[in-house]
């Protein structure tokens, strides 16, 4: 309950304070990446397996039809998009998801349905959590796109190494998370960015 109140109040304040930044980013996307939407919308799996629409600033070309795994330096990521992703500015619209209760500040990153379907047995307990903007797995893999750029088969490496490790970390978070621990993770995310 406390976490939910904190999330919604902080998201509301964040949107009020950051609206000039949101506006500048939106204008830059409209000017530098014309021909597509400013905000990217995608169905993700939320708490209890319920689908919701997650919002991010668009950082890729329109209609690229690529993999759900992003690799640093890909041609589908625009130059402006690369900057937005590096500084996590593309994730600012997720404050709206937190405000309306689809997401939390801290929790497992919401997966696309195909990945969430791979969760079996005890691992499905992760779906009882509200997905987050950040979390322990997000912090460990803060430079995931750079890591994937160094391997021969990024999709396979993600599926066989990164995804199972994130599941393990998120399951540990499920069993041991606390409100104070969440606050610490938020500060770690801010100062690591």
């Amino acid at each position: 309950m406390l976490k939910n109140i904190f999330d919604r109040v902080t998201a509301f304040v964040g949107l009020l304070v950051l609206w000039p930044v949101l506006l500048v980013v939106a204008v830059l996307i409209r000017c530098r990446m014309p021909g597509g939407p400013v905000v990217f919308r995608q169905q993700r799996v939320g708490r209890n397996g319920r689908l919701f629409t997650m919002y991010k600033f668009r950082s890729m070309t329109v209609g690229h039809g690529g993999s759900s795994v992003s690799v640093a330096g890909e041609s589908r990521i625009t130059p402006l998009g690369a900057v937005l992703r590096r500084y996590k500015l593309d994730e600012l619209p997720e404050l709206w998801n937190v405000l309306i209760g689809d997401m939390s500040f801290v929790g497992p990153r919401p997966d696309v349905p195909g990945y969430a379907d791979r969760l079996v047995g005890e691992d499905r307990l992760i779906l009882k959590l509200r997905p987050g903007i950040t979390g322990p797995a997000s912090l460990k893999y803060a430079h995931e796109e750079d890591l994937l750029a160094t391997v021969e088969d990024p999709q396979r490496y993600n599926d066989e190494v990164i995804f199972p490790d994130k599941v393990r970390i998120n399951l540990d978070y499920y069993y041991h998370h606390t409100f104070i621990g969440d606050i610490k993770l938020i500060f770690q995310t801010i100062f690591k960015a």
Side-chain angles (χ1 to χ4, degrees):
M1 183 66 171
L2 177 61
K3 178 174 179 172
N4 192 33
I5 293 170
F6 170 83
D7 282 340
R8 293 187 185 222
V9 170
T10 307
F12 180 74
V13 172
L15 286 166
L16 281 179
V17 171
L18 294 171
W19 75 263
V21 176
L22 293 163
L23 182 62
V24 168
V25 172
V27 170
L28 284 171
I29 291 171
R30 178 62 68 207
C31 294
R32 302 280 299 276
M33 300 188 318
V38 168
V39 176
F40 170 75
R41 299 166 177 83
Q42 187 177 51
Q43 290 289 292
R44 297 289 180 102
V45 178
R47 190 176 191 182
N48 298 318
R50 184 182 64 83
L51 291 178
F52 72 97
T53 302
M54 190 177 80
Y55 301 95
K56 299 177 78 168
F57 280 125
R58 182 169 64 90
S59 59
M60 295 186 180
T61 57
V62 177
H64 56 75
S67 158
S68 61
V69 175
S70 301
V71 178
E74 284 184 272
S75 60
R76 64 182 176 154
I77 301 175
T78 68
L80 174 60
V83 173
L84 297 178
R85 293 165 85 95
R86 178 168 301 282
Y87 295 102
K88 308 297 183 188
L89 295 173
D90 62 318
E91 296 184 9
L92 287 178
E94 291 172 37
L95 288 172
W96 176 254
N97 287 115
V98 175
L99 180 65
I100 64 175
D102 287 333
M103 292 178 66
S104 174
F105 275 101
V106 181
R109 284 298 292 171
D111 283 317
V112 294
Y115 277 97
D117 293 341
R118 298 181 188 190
L119 297 173
V120 295
E122 184 184 30
D123 293 345
R124 292 195 66 80
L125 290 172
I126 295 167
L127 296 176
K128 291 189 173 187
L129 297 167
R130 201 178 308 274
I133 292 177
T134 189
S138 299
L139 282 169
K140 179 174 181 180
Y141 290 102
H143 302 288
E144 181 178 331
E145 291 182 358
D146 295 324
L147 171 62
L148 289 171
T150 66
V151 299
E152 186 176 329
D153 188 340
Q155 183 73 54
R156 183 175 177 184
Y157 188 82
N158 178 76
D159 293 352
E160 296 180 1
V161 178
I162 296 177
F163 180 72
D165 191 38
K166 285 182 177 179
V167 170
R168 180 190 58 77
I169 293 167
N170 288 330
L171 191 60
D172 183 69
Y173 173 79
Y174 171 82
Y175 282 117
H176 301 106
H177 71 281
T178 63
F179 181 70
I180 296 301
D182 284 356
I183 299 298
K184 290 178 181 177
L185 287 166
I186 291 170
F187 276 100
Q188 287 173 25
T189 300
I190 292 169
F191 292 109
K192 192 171 184 175

